[in-house]
Amino acid sequence: MSEQRQYVPHETPGNADRLQTVLEVSAALDQVEDLDSLLDRVLTEARAFANADSGTIYLVAGDRLRFAYNSHSTQRKSADPDRNRFNYLNNTIPINDESIAGYVAHSGKPLVIDDAYRIGDDVPYSFNQQFDREADYRTQSMLTLPLKSARGRTVGVLQLINALDSTGGEVVPFSQEDMLYVLLFSKDAASAIERASMTRQIILRMIRMSELRDPKETGAHVSRVAAYSVEIYERWARTHGVLNDEMRHNIDLLRLAAMMHDVGKIAIPDEILKKPGRLTDDERLVMQTHAVVGARLFSDGDSDLDNLSREITLHHHERWDGNGYPGRIDDIYRDPIRMGPGLKGREIPLFARIVGLADVYDALVSRRTYKEPWGEDQVLDTIRSEEGKHFSPDVVKAFFDVHPVLLAIRRKYTE
Ligand code: C2E
Ligand code: SIN
Ligand code: SIN
Ligand code: FE
Ligand code: FE
């Protein structure tokens, strides 16, 4: 990307190439559905266009901007290379003229600053040096643009920091041309972001809908199962050499997908779903269809989130020894639903094994319409004795490693 710093007059092949890239990248963004992956992609492409050392995306949340994504190319001094990317994730700043990003969101206009430490007194905004101090960084040139969707809504702010010269060593100002190209690309990026956050909201509504159906058990249960699953997976990933980026990406998806593990219960009749006592064998068979019905809800989608949700809804009641359900079914749309031969061992997708354990743990320690809560020790003994029978040994290991955290999660999400 080094030639990007040279001045290229209009109508030259170089410029046409860059325009072509804008179009290709915009088309590619349409394929990404998960919000976090999308932000990652947008920032990577924008940084490449302008040869920027680092960048940040803020998303509009009410009347504030939330620090949503951040990436760097320079070697950081901090020990954890991932730290800077995520440590501000919960920070917000007001949308007003005091900060640079706030000013851009408020005015809706792009802003080019050649040196953040030499901003004149004639403007309302100022640079917050605290970010540099915390990140051990020196911000110099900045290109800050509003992310305006095709519908004209400002969904966020894209900020590129420190344009590098062709040798990559020296920080130079951003050019007008950089601004024009990034601006061109940012409209499609904003529309894609708007779409991805709508998807996420719809998922959360879907979960709330199934809570309405089954208010006694579902509400806190889904939040706990999701939180347990994330903890167990994170431990599993760290002990199995999963790379940080992949782990973060999976955690984001797992949090949502695990919440949906029982959405299929929406199709179960009240007499069975809310039965105060033990189910009969026939009732149990009806109940078990919730796994298949749940999977149907995601079968027409092809995003990472759809695929993961399908895996989890379908297989969270499989057992490591092969005696779970619904097993291998070649057509999940066929009615009446018939269970197949149970998946066994590693045939069961990892995330389904994790959610499966988190689900049983939560069911056993909780009160149900059909059972009293069990004591913690009895539950842990059961899980230990079911290792290699109901549960996958590697997941049981991760479960016990994070057990103290799971207790804290339970205190946080009590009904
Ligand atoms: P759930 O209540 O969320 O339970 C999830 C899983 O935890 C169960 O999957 C089972 O593996 C485990 N589990 C829950 N309670 C017990 C228990 O007392 N003993 C043992 N050994 N394991 C337990 P399962 O069995 O496939 O059930 C799926 C769902 O079906 C349950 O979700 C619950 O909504 C419903 N269900 C299961 N059995 C009964 C029942 O006897 N009466 C009623 N009303 N509902 C039941
Ligand atoms: C990715 O886009 O796959 C990575 C996202 C992340 O690291 O959170
Ligand atoms: C079950 O009976 O499916 C639950 C096994 C257990 O956790 O004891
Ligand atoms: Fe279930
Ligand atoms: Fe459940």
Side-chain angles (χ1 to χ4, degrees):
M1 290 279 154
S2 54
E3 66 276 24
Q4 281 186 13
R5 299 305 315 171
Q6 294 161 10
Y7 176 66
V8 184
H10 286 279
E11 316 301 339
T12 65
N15 231 350
D17 280 356
R18 246 179 126 181
L19 186 56
Q20 185 60 33
T21 311
V22 171
L23 297 175
E24 281 166 10
V25 168
S26 292
L29 290 182
D30 264 358
Q31 313 291 316
V32 187
E33 273 185 64
D34 172 59
L35 186 56
D36 294 277
S37 315
L38 183 63
L39 297 179
D40 189 60
R41 209 42 193 280
V42 166
L43 203 48
T44 304
E45 297 296 348
R47 275 180 44 208
F49 271 120
N51 205 22
D53 181 59
S54 78
T56 302
I57 294 178
Y58 303 81
L59 291 181
V60 171
D63 57 356
R64 299 180 72 85
L65 284 176
R66 184 171 58 84
F67 203 98
Y69 214 86
N70 174 244
S71 77
H72 287 278
S73 62
T74 39
Q75 284 302 323
R76 324 268 54 233
K77 287 182 194 159
S78 67
D80 178 0
D82 229 26
R83 197 195 76 180
N84 291 298
R85 216 165 138 193
F86 295 100
N87 62 350
Y88 299 117
L89 285 182
N90 290 318
N91 279 12
T92 65
I93 53 174
I95 297 180
N96 60 27
D97 291 348
E98 284 165 25
S99 68
I100 293 166
Y103 176 83
V104 166
H106 192 215
S107 70
K109 295 204 182 68
L111 192 62
V112 180
I113 291 171
D114 290 348
D115 189 342
Y117 287 75
R118 290 196 193 137
I119 297 178
D121 295 335
D122 51 342
V123 293
Y125 49 83
S126 61
F127 176 67
N128 183 350
Q129 301 182 7
Q130 191 198 340
F131 289 132
D132 269 6
R133 278 196 298 272
E134 284 179 14
D136 203 358
Y137 193 74
R138 171 62 164 87
T139 300
Q140 193 172 319
S141 58
M142 297 174 99
L143 168 56
T144 312
L145 308 139
L147 287 166
K148 271 198 238 176
S149 73
R151 290 161 49 200
R153 201 166 72 89
T154 299
V155 299
V157 170
L158 171 65
Q159 187 161 64
L160 298 178
I161 293 171
N162 289 354
L164 301 174
D165 68 3
S166 52
T167 63
E170 208 172 321
V171 177
V172 294
F174 287 95
S175 67
Q176 281 299 308
E177 205 203 335
D178 289 334
M179 192 192 76
L180 287 176
Y181 277 101
V182 177
L183 196 59
L184 205 57
F185 149 86
S186 72
K187 186 170 293 293
D188 291 312
S191 297
I193 288 169
E194 189 174 46
R195 210 162 22 81
S197 35
M198 259 150 68
T199 305
R200 184 165 287 205
Q201 276 173 26
I202 287 169
I203 289 165
L204 294 174
R205 279 191 207 117
M206 196 165 138
I207 291 162
R208 258 180 255 134
M209 223 159 80
S210 61
E211 282 174 23
L212 289 179
R213 183 68 211 297
D214 187 12
K216 264 229 207 66
E217 283 173 13
T218 311
H221 172 62
V222 294
S223 303
R224 285 192 304 257
V225 170
Y228 301 152
S229 299
V230 164
E231 289 302 324
I232 296 169
Y233 168 67
E234 188 169 352
R235 172 54 60 117
W236 188 97
R238 289 195 191 286
T239 51
H240 286 76
V242 177
L243 297 177
N244 258 342
D245 273 7
E246 187 188 340
M247 185 180 79
R248 297 277 172 195
H249 177 65
N250 286 337
I251 284 175
D252 286 333
L253 296 176
L254 179 60
R255 206 185 300 282
L256 291 172
M259 286 178 92
M260 295 192 277
H261 73 276
D262 272 339
V263 284
K265 282 185 179 173
I266 203 146
I268 306 300
D270 267 356
E271 314 85 81
I272 297 177
L273 186 70
K274 297 179 180 166
K275 181 171 174 176
R278 302 294 301 172
L279 299 178
T280 65
D281 287 350
D282 285 349
E283 288 168 339
R284 190 169 298 277
L285 285 176
V286 174
M287 190 68 204
Q288 291 181 350
T289 63
H290 81 277
V292 181
V293 172
R296 286 178 178 174
L297 294 173
F298 305 102
S299 287
D300 56 347
D302 199 30
S303 67
D304 288 353
L305 183 61
D306 290 316
N307 291 328
L308 188 62
S309 304
R310 181 164 54 239
E311 245 172 49
I312 289 173
T313 48
L314 191 59
H315 294 304
H316 70 281
H317 290 296
E318 302 287 354
R319 292 174 51 113
W320 184 254
D321 61 14
N323 293 318
Y325 67 90
R328 200 179 311 286
I329 302 178
D330 32 272
D331 179 8
I332 61 169
Y333 286 99
R334 190 185 303 143
D335 278 313
I337 293 167
R338 252 185 290 128
M339 304 298 163
L343 300 191
K344 202 171 176 173
R346 288 186 203 291
E347 286 173 355
I348 309 164
L350 170 68
F351 293 103
R353 286 186 265 140
I354 290 172
V355 174
L357 175 53
D359 183 35
V360 173
Y361 172 64
D362 197 60
L364 295 181
V365 297
S366 304
R367 184 181 311 282
R368 288 282 191 262
T369 53
Y370 62 94
K371 64 172 272 295
E372 288 302 307
W374 296 14
E376 191 73 25
D377 289 344
Q378 191 189 353
V379 173
L380 296 186
D381 286 347
T382 303
I383 289 172
R384 214 173 270 119
S385 71
E386 288 291 324
E387 174 177 343
K389 297 180 204 153
H390 189 152
F391 305 120
S392 135
D394 51 345
V395 174
V396 170
K397 166 110 184 36
F399 169 90
F400 280 103
D401 285 348
V402 297
H403 179 252
V405 188
L406 307 188
L407 289 175
I409 291 170
R410 224 161 86 208
R411 282 193 292 275
K412 181 173 165 197
Y413 300 105
T414 46
E415 29 255 289

